[in-house]
Amino acid sequence: MFAEYLQSMPSTFSPWFDVCHFLLAALAVRKEVGLAFSRSNPLATWLATLTASFAGSMVANPLLGKPIFGAVSNEFNLSLATVIWWGVFYSPRDIVYTVATNQAVSVPVYVVKEIYRAKKILGGIKDAGKVYPEHEIIQITVGLIKGNGSAFIKPITRLVAGQWKPNSSELLKFSVTSKGCLVAAILLVLDSQGYLIPPVTGDLLYLGIVSTFIMVKLSGILADPIDPFAPLDMVVTLATGGLWDASAEESGVIEIQDE
């Protein structure tokens, strides 16, 4: 019951969830480009903010046979994102930025964002399932993109703002957020296919995903950042050559010692 309520919150409390999402996107762009850049390049910061705000749909739409600009077809959301962009970058005395970065405001905003993130992942999986009902990997991919699209489109966002940093692509090194979205998408797809067993199914699974997202995000704000996927990273590293490399290095050390 509570999981269904969490899933319905973005619609029930519209447009506040979008406000939080657009606000964090604008703050991320401002952190990336700096205030001085925004003063002389307002168009670039606006376009960068829009790409960050609608990143999930911009990346996922072509994969689902939809137009890229369908992501910004909602005029209300486009106007809302624009108003928030102006507030974050150009409000008098920088009042919007000052209030938005205060922990009393930012913490609730981040909580709302993580609830919204889980809903976006689930929505992406369902959208992909309509087009590719027999392709679980595609469903997982779209769910991942919907959950953290701004990270995957960040090279484009930076390019719009006059920066080119291909080595910092999310594909080269997943952030903790992307890892969480990937694991969540895998679990949700497995659950939809009936591969998971109780109690890690249905509402309890969704509650666990939302709780994990919130815990990981708030740990980086209120305490030391945590990475619950570090053990999984180690397993992946070992499975993709790390074990053999370690064995080879150990053999080399032994041979040297024998000589």
Side-chain angles (χ1 to χ4, degrees), residues 111-132:
V111 170
V112 169
K113 168 64 178 178
E114 296 311 310
I115 295 173
Y116 204 7
R117 190 188 305 280
K119 175 62 185 299
K120 284 178 175 289
I121 294 172
L122 183 61
I125 291 171
K126 290 181 178 179
D127 288 345
K130 295 175 184 177
V131 182
Y132 305 101

Side-chain angles (χ1 to χ4, degrees), residues 22-89:
F22 297 152
L23 178 61
L24 292 176
L27 290 173
V29 172
R30 172 163 167 166
K31 181 179 179 181
E32 188 75 35
V33 304
L35 185 61
F37 178 88
S38 69
R39 290 291 185 263
S40 57
N41 300 277
L43 179 60
T45 59
W46 178 65
L47 291 174
T49 300
L50 291 186
T51 59
S53 298
F54 301 98
S57 295
M58 283 184 170
V59 178
N61 278 6
L63 302 179
L64 300 176
K66 300 178 182 180
I68 294 178
F69 288 110
V72 291
S73 60
N74 187 314
E75 293 183 358
F76 176 79
N77 281 346
L78 183 61
S79 300
L80 182 61
T82 299
V83 170
I84 292 173
W85 157 78
W86 179 87
V88 168
F89 283 95

